[in-house]
Amino acid sequence: MSVTAPAGFTAAGVAAGVAAGHKPAGAPDLALVVNEGPSLAAAGVVTTNRVKGAPVLWTEQVLRAGAVSAVLLDSGCANACTGPLGFQDTHAAVERAARALDRNAAQIAVAATGPMGVRPALDRLLPGIDLAAGQLSEFGGERAARAIMTTDTQPKTAAARGGNGDGNGGGSGSGTAAGWTVGGMAKGGAMLAPSLATLLVVLTTDAEVPAPALDRALRAATRATFERIDADGVASPNDTVLLLASGASQVTPDADEFAEAVHAVCADLARQLVKDADGATKEIRVEVTGAAGEEAALTAARAVAGDALVKAALRAEDPAWPRVVAAVGASGVAVEPHRLAVAVNGVQVCRGAAPADDPAAVDLRFREVTLAVDLGAGDCSATVWTTDATAAAPRPTHHPAPLPTSHPHPRAESV
Amino acid sequence: MSVTAPAGFTAAGVAAGVAAGHKPAGAPDLALVVNEGPSLAAAGVVTTNRVKGAPVLWTEQVLRAGAVSAVLLDSGCANACTGPLGFQDTHAAVERAARALDRNAAQIAVAATGPMGVRPALDRLLPGIDLAAGQLSEFGGERAARAIMTTDTQPKTAAARGGNGDGNGGGSGSGTAAGWTVGGMAKGGAMLAPSLATLLVVLTTDAEVPAPALDRALRAATRATFERIDADGVASPNDTVLLLASGASQVTPDADEFAEAVHAVCADLARQLVKDADGATKEIRVEVTGAAGEEAALTAARAVAGDALVKAALRAEDPAWPRVVAAVGASGVAVEPHRLAVAVNGVQVCRGAAPADDPAAVDLRFREVTLAVDLGAGDCSATVWTTDATAAAPRPTHHPAPLPTSHPHPRAESV
C-alpha cells in the first residue's frame, strides 16, 4: 500500500518539529516521496482557489514540464497567504531538498498543510529535509502517509494492481513481471471538517505512462472522487493531487485499465477521507436523480450535502426531509415539485414534495445514511459524499458538541 | 410604527393556538392586516426557491391582479412541502378570512412560517381567523408584529414619513395633511439563524401609488436590504415581502421620495433582523470593494458572510483573516492576490494576501464587526450583513455552544 507499493519509489516520514503545537511531539510531520525512475513522468491537479499557497504556486511551475523526481510534503505550515516571502521560503526548502537528494530543483514538487498566514519555520524545515533524505526507503510509504496527517485520526493509503499483477497491493515495492501497480496516500479533505483541511494526495505508479496520459487519467479520477466529497465547493488554497510514474515495471498499460486503477485508488482514498472527517458521526451519501443535466444533478447534490441544517438534523437522527426539499429548491437547478421525491435510508418519506411514508420508519442509528433525491426534471444523476461535521461542531474529543434533542416539531424543519 | 402607522389600515394579532409547542401559551400566533382603502394596490416579492409553500403559491396568484385587501399571517405552520392537501388548507383559511372580513378571497394574501412537511391545524387556525377579524384595530400593528414572531426575541416594526409629514412615525394611523407614511413589520430572516427562519415582511402605506410603482419600489428596496442579509443564498420556501397601499392620505408622492421611504423602512427592519438573529453573538458587516462587477462583489461578500469558519473564528474573537482570503479566493470571482487586502474593524491585517498590521491590534470584544475586503480587481463594491450564528450553534439559552478556546495557531486558519 501507499506510495511505495509500486516499484521505483522510495519515501520517508520524519519528525522535523514543523508541526509543533499541532501534532504530538515525535509524530512525523515532514515527508519525501522520491521517484527513482527510470521515468519521471508526472501530472497534477491543484486547487481552483484564486489564492494559492506558495507550495501550489511552485508545484504548478514544476508540473508544466511534466516531470517530477520528488515530492516534499509537510503538515506544519500551509505557507498560504504569506506573499513573496513565503514563496522564497518554499524555494529555499526545494533547493535544500535538491541538494539533499542530488536532484534538479525544477523537478521537485511541494505540498503543504497547516496554518495559513504564517511563514514556515525554516530552522526546523530545512534540517528536517536532510533527515528525511537520509531515511528514504522502499518501505517508507506508510510513514510518509503518517507525516502528512493533520486532523486525520488514521493515515490513508491505497493500492491497486493491473496488467498480469496478482491483484494484491503488495507492500515491498517489488512489481511482478508484466504487472504494474498504482499506490497512493492522502490526508484531509476539503469541506469535510471544521478545519476545512487541505486535500493532499500523492499517487505513484510503476507503469510506463507518459505525462499527458497521466494527466487525463488523474483529472477524470479526481472529478469523480475527490471533487465529489467537497460538499460546499470551497477549495483550500493548498489542495494538491499528484500522480508520479516511475516506469519501473517496464509495462505500458492499456489506457482504460490504467484509468480504472487510478480511479480505484482515488475512490478508496476518498472513502477513507469521508470516514475520518473531523467531528463526523454520520457519513452521508447524497444521490440525486431526475436532474435535467449532470451539472444540475451535482449542484443539487452539493446543495443538500452542504446544508448545515440537513447535517444538524441527521446528527440528531431526524430525517428532516423538508430541509432536503428546501435545499434542492434553493439550489437554482430545475426541480418539478409535483414529482420531487426523497428517500432516507430506503424509506420514501416524500413524494411530490409532500409527506409520503412515515419518517418514523427511518432507522438513523447507524453511521451510514443515504439521502436519495429525485428532482423529477430529467434523466441525469450525481452522487456526493459528505458527513455531519460542521465548523461549529468541533471534534467531540476537544469540544463536546451539544446534540439537539428530539422535538415533536423539530426546529430544523421550521422555516 | 408597524403596519398601522399609515392611515387606512387595521390589524390584529391573536393567540389561536396554532403555534402550540413553539411559542409560549397565550402568545399571539395569528395576524390579520386589513387595507381599509380606498385603494387596494399592492405588490410583493416571494422566495426564489423552486419549492414554494402553499401560502406563497396562493399569494403569487393574488398578486397578479395587483390588489390586496387583507393579509393573513400565522407562525404555527409553514404549510410547505404539504402538496395539494396543504394548498386546500390554505384555500380554506382564505375563504374563512373572506367571510369573516366580508372581502373577496381573491384579494386576500397569505404568509406563514413554522414547521415544514406538516399541514396546519385547521381546527385552531379557522377559529383564530374569526377571533382576529373581531379584534381589528388601527392600533393593532404592534400585536400583529408579535403574532408573526418565531425564534425572534423582539417584534420588528418600522415607519417613515414623506411629503409634508412631520418626520415622526406616528402610531395612531392618522396621517397629516399632504403627508404620507410607510410602515412595516418583519420576522425571521433567511439564513441568519439555525432555523433558517422564513422572512415575512408586510409593508403598508397611505400614499396613493399604483401597483406597478409599488412593485418597482419594493423590488429595489428588497434587493438592497433583505437580500443583503441572506448570507448563503438559501431561500426558504415561504419567504414573502408585501407592500400594500391604501391611498388614505390622498397624496401621490414623488416616485424617488417614495422609493426612498420604502428603502428606509426595509433597511430598518433588515437591521433589526440581523440584531435579533437566533444564537448570534456578533453582527458582521462584510464590505467588499475592488470587484470587477457588482454581482462579483456580492458573490464575494456572500462567500465570506456564509463561511462557517469565518463565523466560528469571529465568535471566538479571532480575526482569522486568512479564512476570509480563502473564502473570496474560492468564490469564483476575479481576485488579484497581490492586491487583495483585508481590514478587520479598521485594522489592515492583510495586504497582498499576506500578513500586514498586527492582528492582535484588532478589538473583537464588541458585538459589531466589520470585515472590509478589497479584491484588487476592479471598482465595484457590495455590502452584506450576517452574524456568527450557525445551524450547529443553537441559541445559547437552549444549548450552550462551546466557544473555541484561544490557540497559538487557531484551527480555523489551518488548511
Side-chain angles (χ1 to χ4, degrees):
Chain A
M1 304 287 275
S2 194
V3 290
T4 46
F9 290 92
T10 55
V14 300
V18 291
H22 300 281
K23 296 175 76 160
D29 54 12
L30 185 150
L32 277 174
V33 178
V34 177
N35 184 349
E36 307 288 356
S39 168
L40 295 182
V45 177
V46 300
T47 183
T48 56
N49 199 302
R50 304 278 180 124
V51 179
K52 294 173 170 61
V56 171
L57 294 171
W58 177 271
T59 296
E60 281 187 311
Q61 297 301 319
V62 170
L63 286 170
R64 287 191 184 179
V68 171
S69 71
V71 186
L72 168 65
L73 305 102
D74 88 81
S75 55
C77 175
N79 198 5
C81 301
T82 47
L85 295 174
F87 192 80
Q88 285 177 22
D89 294 337
T90 287
H91 192 177
V94 168
E95 291 291 350
R96 184 71 158 244
R99 271 200 303 280
L101 299 171
D102 195 21
R103 303 282 178 128
N104 179 349
Q107 295 181 329
I108 298 178
V110 191
T113 178
M116 295 188 287
V118 292
R119 291 171 59 190
L122 287 188
D123 58 334
R124 295 178 178 190
L125 183 60
L126 301 183
I129 291 167
D130 296 339
L131 187 64
Q135 295 188 12
L136 288 167
S137 146
E138 63 181 12
F139 305 101
E142 294 294 333
R143 200 155 161 87
R146 288 195 175 272
I148 61 174
M149 290 164 62
T150 52
T151 57
D152 313 65
T153 65
Q154 298 287 334
K156 282 105 188 159
T157 65
R161 300 206 61 154
N164 293 342
D166 61 9
N168 294 320
S172 68
S174 60
T176 56
W180 48 267
T181 302
V182 176
M185 65 179 185
K187 67 78 47 187
M191 296 309 95
L192 285 169
S195 55
L196 304 193
T198 288
L199 176 75
L200 298 187
V201 181
V202 179
L203 305 176
T204 53
T205 183
D206 50 15
E208 279 191 345
V209 184
L214 292 176
D215 189 70
R216 279 193 297 276
L218 184 63
R219 283 183 194 279
T222 298
R223 246 192 322 271
T225 58
F226 300 121
E227 291 181 10
R228 297 294 173 97
I229 58 172
D230 183 351
D232 70 3
V234 176
S236 136
N238 285 43
D239 289 349
T240 305
V241 182
L242 299 172
L243 171 55
L244 282 56
S246 70
S249 71
Q250 297 181 301
V251 179
T252 300
D254 170 74
D256 287 345
E257 197 194 352
F258 180 70
E260 205 173 292
V262 172
H263 177 277
V265 172
C266 289
D268 188 343
L269 292 171
R271 186 63 198 272
Q272 294 178 51
L273 289 164
V274 171
K275 282 206 172 299
D276 197 23
D278 202 4
T281 68
K282 301 288 180 197
E283 293 168 36
I284 306 164
R285 176 186 169 93
V286 181
E287 301 175 351
V288 169
T289 56
E294 196 188 330
E295 202 52 43
L298 192 52
T299 298
R302 286 204 168 117
V304 174
D307 190 294
L309 282 182
V310 170
K311 291 173 189 281
L314 293 178
R315 195 177 185 87
E317 304 191 347
D318 168 1
W321 63 265
R323 279 303 313 165
V324 175
V325 171
V328 299
S331 70
V333 308
V335 170
E336 289 297 339
H338 63 286
R339 285 199 292 261
L340 180 57
V342 180
V344 184
N345 282 354
V347 179
Q348 198 71 47
V349 289
C350 165
R351 285 190 197 89
D357 299 347
D358 187 358
V362 180
D363 187 349
L364 285 169
R365 289 171 301 166
F366 302 102
R367 188 172 170 94
E368 300 192 2
V369 178
T370 298
L371 299 177
V373 186
D374 184 345
L375 303 183
D379 297 321
C380 295
S381 59
T383 297
V384 162
W385 289 262
T386 188
T387 73
D388 62 338
T390 65
R395 320 183 72 85
T397 47
H398 298 324
H399 308 286
L403 286 180
T405 50
S406 169
H407 192 287
H409 295 290
R411 289 167 57 83
E413 297 190 29
S414 294
V415 294
Chain B
M1 305 287 275
S2 193
V3 290
T4 46
F9 291 93
T10 57
V14 300
V18 291
H22 299 281
K23 296 177 75 159
D29 53 13
L30 186 149
L32 278 173
V33 179
V34 177
N35 184 350
E36 309 287 356
S39 167
L40 296 181
V45 177
V46 300
T47 183
T48 57
N49 199 303
R50 304 280 181 122
V51 179
K52 294 173 169 62
V56 171
L57 294 172
W58 177 272
T59 297
E60 281 186 311
Q61 297 302 318
V62 171
L63 287 170
R64 288 192 184 181
V68 171
S69 71
V71 186
L72 167 65
L73 305 103
D74 87 80
S75 55
C77 175
N79 198 5
C81 301
T82 48
L85 295 173
F87 191 80
Q88 286 177 22
D89 294 337
T90 287
H91 192 178
V94 168
E95 290 292 350
R96 184 72 157 246
R99 272 198 303 280
L101 299 171
D102 194 21
R103 302 285 177 127
N104 180 349
Q107 295 181 331
I108 297 179
V110 191
T113 177
M116 296 188 286
V118 293
R119 293 171 59 191
L122 288 188
D123 59 334
R124 296 180 176 186
L125 183 60
L126 300 184
I129 291 167
D130 295 339
L131 187 65
Q135 297 189 11
L136 287 168
S137 147
E138 61 182 13
F139 305 101
E142 294 293 334
R143 200 157 160 84
R146 288 194 174 272
I148 61 173
M149 290 164 61
T150 53
T151 56
D152 313 66
T153 65
Q154 298 286 332
K156 282 106 190 158
T157 65
R161 299 206 62 152
N164 293 343
D166 62 8
N168 293 321
S172 70
S174 60
T176 54
W180 48 268
T181 301
V182 176
M185 65 179 185
K187 65 78 49 187
M191 296 307 95
L192 283 169
S195 56
L196 305 193
T198 287
L199 176 76
L200 298 188
V201 181
V202 179
L203 305 175
T204 54
T205 183
D206 51 13
E208 279 192 343
V209 184
L214 293 176
D215 189 70
R216 279 193 298 277
L218 185 63
R219 283 181 195 280
T222 298
R223 246 194 321 271
T225 57
F226 300 122
E227 292 182 9
R228 296 295 173 96
I229 59 171
D230 182 350
D232 70 4
V234 176
S236 137
N238 285 45
D239 289 349
T240 305
V241 182
L242 299 171
L243 171 55
L244 281 58
S246 70
S249 70
Q250 298 181 301
V251 180
T252 299
D254 171 74
D256 288 345
E257 197 193 352
F258 180 69
E260 206 174 292
V262 173
H263 179 277
V265 172
C266 290
D268 189 342
L269 292 171
R271 186 62 198 270
Q272 293 178 52
L273 289 164
V274 172
K275 283 206 170 299
D276 197 22
D278 201 4
T281 67
K282 301 290 179 195
E283 293 169 34
I284 306 164
R285 177 186 167 92
V286 181
E287 301 174 351
V288 168
T289 56
E294 195 188 331
E295 201 52 43
L298 193 52
T299 299
R302 286 203 167 118
V304 173
D307 190 294
L309 283 181
V310 169
K311 291 172 187 281
L314 293 177
R315 195 176 184 88
E317 304 191 347
D318 168 1
W321 62 266
R323 279 302 314 165
V324 175
V325 170
V328 299
S331 71
V333 309
V335 170
E336 289 296 340
H338 63 285
R339 286 200 290 262
L340 180 57
V342 179
V344 183
N345 282 354
V347 179
Q348 198 70 48
V349 288
C350 165
R351 283 190 198 91
D357 298 348
D358 187 0
V362 180
D363 187 349
L364 285 169
R365 289 172 300 168
F366 301 101
R367 188 172 170 94
E368 299 191 3
V369 178
T370 298
L371 298 178
V373 185
D374 184 345
L375 304 182
D379 297 321
C380 295
S381 59
T383 298
V384 162
W385 289 262
T386 189
T387 73
D388 61 339
T390 64
R395 326 182 67 87
T397 47
H398 298 323
H399 308 284
L403 287 179
T405 50
S406 170
H407 192 286
H409 296 288
R411 289 168 56 85
E413 296 190 28
S414 293
V415 295

